[in-house]
């Protein structure tokens, strides 16, 4: 089939790649690509954050975990496996997505920072999106997929010359398909120079003011915020100072880290990920959006389902 993917974030590009690999003739149109996408701001620590339903998210996450772990063999893909810990101020059970990872261990009390009483540790893929997005775009183009920058106001116009459309527009689906269930969740982060860190840390005690430290090869991403219905994409200096303070409290070595960049993105929050086929007057649309804070974590798994749905149409 001739298929057009709308959206060039990580979900759109992985879907386009998987569709091309399945034998379809594919192109991509998007208002933004690369650094203009929400994906480029992502901490990109594999973690099923604010994404539902649990059973599907666990399945998609497991597929993506395997795919990303395999990509660590290619340095140009920008993926590394990193050991890390999520910390808790009260005792907690294993996460609901436990089945998506091969191993997950508890952190001994002697290894917990002051103020924490529980925690678990696991090795997960960490994706440097400044490297991975260009790599992924290269994979898509090598597979014969053309990517064009063009704003789409109506999915009906996207059907010109194709048999089916795949909608991967994230928060843009509020206007594109009038989905009022989508909620922007503002995330602000900062990027600092490496100070020798290799392990990630996460504390979600305060759901709006998170603490996460995600080391990459040359940089460390520090976060962050999760502010619902806040669409301000300007950097707030007070928030930057607060994020740095929280992260330094957890990892004192960051006090000497040189700040390189500030970023803000809007996560596409939704009660559940929308991954389904809609039959319209112009033709079938496969929707794939509403991944919350887990676009990278779900991307390759969701792309498998997108390809299956499109192939089922022919």
């Amino acid at each position: 089939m001739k298929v057009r993917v709308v959206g060039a974030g990580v979900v759109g590009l992985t879907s386009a790649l998987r569709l091309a690999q399945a034998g379809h003739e594919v192109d991509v149109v998007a208002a933004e690509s690369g650094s203009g996408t929400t994906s480029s701001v992502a901490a990109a620590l594999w973690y099923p954050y604010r994404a539902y339903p649990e059973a599907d998210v666990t399945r998609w996450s497991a597929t993506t975990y395997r795919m990303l772990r395999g990509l660590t063999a290619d340095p140009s893909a920008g993926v590394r496996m990193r050991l890390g810990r999520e910390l808790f101020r009260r005792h907690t059970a294993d996460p609901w997505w436990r089945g998506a990872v091969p191993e997950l261990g508890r952190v001994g009390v002697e290894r917990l920072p002051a103020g924490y009483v529980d925690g678990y540790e696991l090795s997960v893929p960490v994706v440097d999106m400044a490297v991975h997005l260009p790599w992924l775009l290269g994979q898509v183009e090598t597979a014969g997929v053309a990517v064009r920058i063009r704003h789409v106001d109506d999915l009906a116009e996207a059907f010109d010359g194709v048999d089916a459309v795949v909608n991967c527009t994230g928060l843009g689906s509020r206007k594109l398909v009038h989905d009022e269930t989508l909620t922007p969740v503002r995330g602000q982060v900062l990027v600092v120079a490496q100070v020798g860190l290799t392990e990630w840390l996460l504390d979600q005690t305060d759901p709006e003011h998170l603490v996460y430290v995600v080391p990459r090869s040359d940089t460390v991403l520090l976060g962050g915020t999760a502010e619902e219905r806040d669409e301000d994409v300007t950097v707030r200096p007070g928030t930057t100072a607060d994020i740095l303070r929280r992260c330094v409290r957890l990892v004192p070595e960051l006090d000497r880290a040189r700040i390189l960049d500030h970023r803000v993105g809007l996560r596409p929050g939704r009660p559940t990920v929308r991954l389904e086929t809609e039959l319209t007057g112009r033709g079938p649309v496969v929707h794939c959006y509403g991944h919350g804070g887990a676009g990278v974590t779900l991307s390759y798994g969701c792309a498998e389902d997108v390809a299956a749905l499109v192939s089922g149409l022919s």
Side-chain angles (χ1 to χ4, degrees):
M1 297 181 70
K2 292 184 178 180
V3 185
R4 177 160 296 133
V5 176
V6 184
V10 68
V11 173
L13 292 180
T14 52
S15 294
L17 179 61
R18 188 66 192 89
L19 285 162
Q21 291 170 339
H24 300 287
E25 185 178 334
V26 186
D27 68 9
V28 175
V29 296
E32 301 281 356
S33 67
S35 61
T37 64
T38 300
S39 297
S40 68
V41 184
L45 168 76
W46 181 100
Y47 189 98
Y49 175 63
R50 294 181 76 122
Y52 312 96
E54 294 181 0
D56 285 333
V57 166
T58 300
R59 177 172 59 86
W60 294 325
S61 299
T63 299
T64 304
Y65 184 102
R66 293 191 296 270
M67 289 293 297
L68 291 176
R69 184 172 58 182
L71 290 177
T72 61
D74 181 356
S76 65
V79 185
R80 291 190 178 194
M81 295 298 293
R82 295 280 195 190
L83 179 68
R85 291 171 285 162
E86 180 166 6
L87 305 172
F88 301 92
R89 298 185 183 274
R90 57 182 177 82
H91 292 287
T92 185
D94 284 352
W96 53 262
W97 43 262
R98 170 65 183 89
V101 293
E103 295 181 2
L104 184 147
R106 308 304 295 196
V107 180
V109 64
E110 72 281 355
R111 297 176 54 224
L112 292 170
Y116 294 95
V117 300
D118 203 356
Y120 48 76
E121 65 181 5
L122 65 163
S123 292
V124 301
V126 172
V127 185
D128 186 339
M129 295 307 284
V131 177
H132 190 68
L133 277 179
W135 176 87
L136 186 54
L137 180 60
Q139 296 294 304
V140 165
E141 292 175 338
T142 298
V145 177
V147 179
R148 293 173 291 132
I149 302 302
R150 177 166 67 86
H151 189 77
V152 176
D153 292 314
D154 189 324
L155 279 183
E157 69 185 64
F159 274 95
D160 185 26
V162 300
D163 304 307
V165 168
V166 177
N167 171 28
C168 299
T169 57
L171 196 59
S173 287
R174 280 191 303 174
K175 292 183 178 179
L176 190 61
V177 298
H178 311 292
D179 189 337
E180 299 299 327
T181 68
L182 278 163
T183 303
V185 183
R186 182 181 184 273
Q188 181 170 325
V189 299
L190 62 149
V191 181
V192 302
Q194 258 289 9
V195 290
L197 301 181
T198 59
E199 296 188 0
W200 57 269
L201 288 170
L202 172 63
D203 174 5
Q204 299 187 72
T205 302
D206 184 334
E208 283 199 1
H209 304 94
L210 312 169
V211 185
Y212 49 91
V213 177
V214 183
R216 295 158 172 180
S217 55
D218 300 321
T219 62
V220 184
L221 189 141
L222 309 181
T225 65
E227 300 157 302
E228 288 197 17
R229 304 186 188 281
D230 188 337
E231 301 190 49
D232 179 14
V233 294
T234 60
V235 173
R236 297 170 181 167
T239 299
T240 296
D242 191 42
I243 291 171
L244 190 58
R245 176 185 57 79
R246 296 197 304 268
C247 290
V248 167
R249 182 184 300 161
L250 194 58
V251 185
E253 302 97 297
L254 291 168
D255 190 41
R256 56 186 172 87
R258 180 166 51 96
I259 296 176
L260 303 175
D261 197 10
H262 307 264
R263 299 174 185 171
V264 178
L266 302 179
R267 305 175 184 93
R270 196 173 186 274
T272 61
V273 175
R274 186 182 185 189
L275 209 172
E276 63 182 4
T277 303
E278 178 187 9
L279 300 179
T280 74
R282 291 296 304 272
V285 176
V286 174
H287 296 284
C288 185
Y289 64 83
H291 297 82
V296 174
T297 302
L298 306 183
S299 57
Y300 288 89
C302 285
E304 292 284 342
D305 279 18
V306 166
L309 287 174
V310 171
S311 294
L313 297 170
S314 56

